[in-house]
Amino acid sequence: MIGAITGGPIADFICRKWTMRMASAFCVAGWLAIYFAEGALALDIGRLATGYGMGVFSYVLMICAGVSVSFIIGTVLGWRVLALIGLIPCAVLLFGLFFIPESPRWLAKAGREKDFEAMLQKLRDKDADISEEAAEIHHYIETLQRLPKASVLDLFQRRYLSSIIIGVGLMVVQQFGGINSICFYTSNIFEEAGFSSSVGTITYAILQVIVTAIGAALVNRAGRKPLLLILGTGLVLGCIITALSFFFKVHELAADAVPILAVTGILLYIAAFSTGMGVVPWVVMSEIFPINIKGVAGGFATLVNWFGAWAVSYAFNYFVSWSSYGTSLLYAAINTAGMVSVIMVVPETKGRSLEQTQAAINTE
């Protein structure tokens, strides 16, 4: 959460590349602390450092692919070795940053005109005419600088409130619908249901990468709202099927069906989430906030997202000790409420300008 709300201001102040270097340093320190840990304190410090680094990175890295790869190799390797492997992408990133150009927009915003023109020319081609694009970038930056700087309190003005409710509301549904509890405790869920945790986790990881790529392709074809509603049905069904599995297990009914139902429910949930609710809220969030509050509003929504991730994953074990199938039904109810909210308040943003989207929000 801290990384999510500080990453943007830090990137604006010290540039994008140095922000990524800083975040990489936190991740490296965190993984080393975990590897050499002899007690809980070092593990906690390591998790704090890697958590901060990933909070800063959360907009720019292929998180689903990274999580899936970790799941797969984590089924055959111990956690200390896994911590060392976590250093590899950090090293690749730090090395690769020497070859990645700085953002021309940031250079222009920082007043480094010669560097801005040189970098834009390098990115486009040495013979390309960059004058028109350079003028557009300068016009955009000048427009931003003329607008009043927004604070968090400004987000709650009446003219912005509908956009904030939609953007933050989608993040609430995304997290409180149960994704991180299922993600973090997949192997435990499969074991409880009597299914091989290794096979289930690997299948989960491969499926997540494939369907996330499909979701990214579909979001511009099918539209945002239809995708949320259609795949939201899959979320609810996945939770209900998983709940049925644990209901049978608790009451010693249809023992042979328990692992099949658990795997079917979890994989259906993951497929639906990764294609819909995992992708669309981020896209919608980038399309509904007016330009003068986009940075602050985006940071606030991301903070809510990470808070939800913490709250759900922290509470999961307590809920499961209360009722395993009741927990899944609770997630089903939250996702159902989310779909009703999408129908009532979320506009379709596909193919609409910001002005058209704002008009739709204010009339719905």
Side-chain angles (χ1 to χ4, degrees):
M1 288 187 285
I2 297 169
I5 60 175
T6 59
I10 291 172
D12 285 340
F13 183 68
I14 66 171
C15 85
R16 276 59 171 159
K17 288 178 68 172
W18 276 105
T19 300
M20 286 194 281
R21 286 190 177 107
M22 180 204 69
S24 294
F26 272 94
C27 289
V28 168
W31 285 124
L32 289 174
I34 290 170
Y35 178 75
F36 289 109
E38 297 296 336
L41 179 60
L43 287 173
D44 288 339
I45 292 172
R47 293 298 293 143
L48 182 66
T50 54
Y52 179 78
M54 285 312 303
V56 174
F57 278 140
S58 47
Y59 269 132
V60 294
L61 295 182
M62 298 172 65
I63 291 178
C64 284
V67 168
S68 298
V69 170
S70 298
F71 272 22
I72 292 170
I73 62 177
T75 60
V76 294
L77 297 175
W79 62 268
R80 289 191 190 270
V81 179
L82 197 62
L84 284 181
I85 291 173
L87 293 171
I88 296 174
C90 299
V92 171
L93 178 61
L94 285 170
F95 179 73
L97 283 169
F98 287 104
F99 304 95
I100 294 174
E102 185 51 80
S103 161
R105 286 178 181 268
W106 183 85
L107 291 170
K109 188 177 179 182
R112 294 166 56 180
E113 191 63 27
K114 288 184 178 180
D115 292 335
F116 160 66
E117 292 179 359
M119 195 58 67
L120 188 60
Q121 190 75 64
K122 181 180 178 181
L123 285 170
R124 296 297 172 256
D125 191 61
K126 63 179 181 179
D127 298 322
D129 182 6
I130 62 168
S131 57
E132 185 176 342
E133 184 177 2
E136 288 178 0
I137 291 173
H138 281 304
H139 176 71
Y140 176 80
I141 291 170
E142 288 168 5
T143 302
L144 275 181
Q145 290 173 340
R146 284 197 300 268
L147 292 170
K149 289 188 177 181
S151 66
V152 174
L153 292 178
D154 292 329
L155 301 182
F156 301 97
Q157 294 180 19
R158 186 174 180 180
R159 55 180 168 167
Y160 302 136
L161 202 54
S162 295
S163 297
I164 297 300
I165 289 172
I166 293 169
V168 173
L170 286 173
M171 294 302 174
V172 169
V173 176
Q174 183 192 80
Q175 291 300 330
F176 285 87
I179 180 59
N180 273 304
S181 60
I182 291 173
C183 178
F184 294 155
Y185 295 99
T186 300
S187 59
N188 303 61
I189 294 171
F190 285 139
E191 284 178 6
E192 285 294 317
F195 191 82
S196 169
S197 62
S198 296
V199 174
T201 300
I202 291 172
T203 305
Y204 163 104
I206 294 171
L207 178 67
Q208 187 178 41
V209 173
I210 294 171
V211 297
T212 300
I214 293 172
L218 283 177
V219 72
N220 281 326
R221 292 176 178 270
R224 286 60 160 149
K225 196 167 182 174
L227 210 56
L228 282 174
L229 294 174
I230 293 169
L231 294 167
T233 306
L235 290 176
V236 176
L237 287 176
C239 290
I240 292 174
I241 293 171
T242 305
L244 191 62
S245 165
F246 284 105
F247 180 83
F248 285 168
K249 179 179 175 62
V250 169
H251 293 88
E252 298 181 349
L253 302 170
D256 293 339
V258 169
I260 297 173
L261 287 172
V263 172
T264 302
I266 293 296
L267 294 184
L268 175 59
Y269 178 94
I270 290 302
F273 180 88
S274 298
T275 320
M277 188 56 75
V279 176
V280 178
W282 297 102
V283 176
V284 171
M285 188 177 75
S286 71
E287 296 173 333
I288 62 173
F289 294 143
I291 190 171
N292 60 312
I293 67 162
K294 190 180 286 287
V296 176
F300 180 66
T302 306
L303 174 64
V304 171
N305 184 281
W306 282 112
F307 172 79
W310 167 78
V312 170
S313 55
Y314 183 83
F316 179 73
N317 283 323
Y318 297 101
F319 280 124
V320 168
S321 63
W322 159 66
S323 173
S324 54
Y325 60 86
T327 302
S328 292
L329 289 177
L330 177 62
Y331 293 152
I334 292 171
N335 283 302
T336 301
M339 295 311 102
V340 173
S341 299
V342 167
I343 293 171
M344 295 176 63
V345 302
V346 177
E348 177 54 65
T349 59
K350 178 189 174 186
R352 285 179 170 178
S353 67
L354 177 60
E355 291 75 19
Q356 290 171 328
T357 300
Q358 287 295 304
I361 290 172
N362 293 325
T363 56
E364 291 186 6

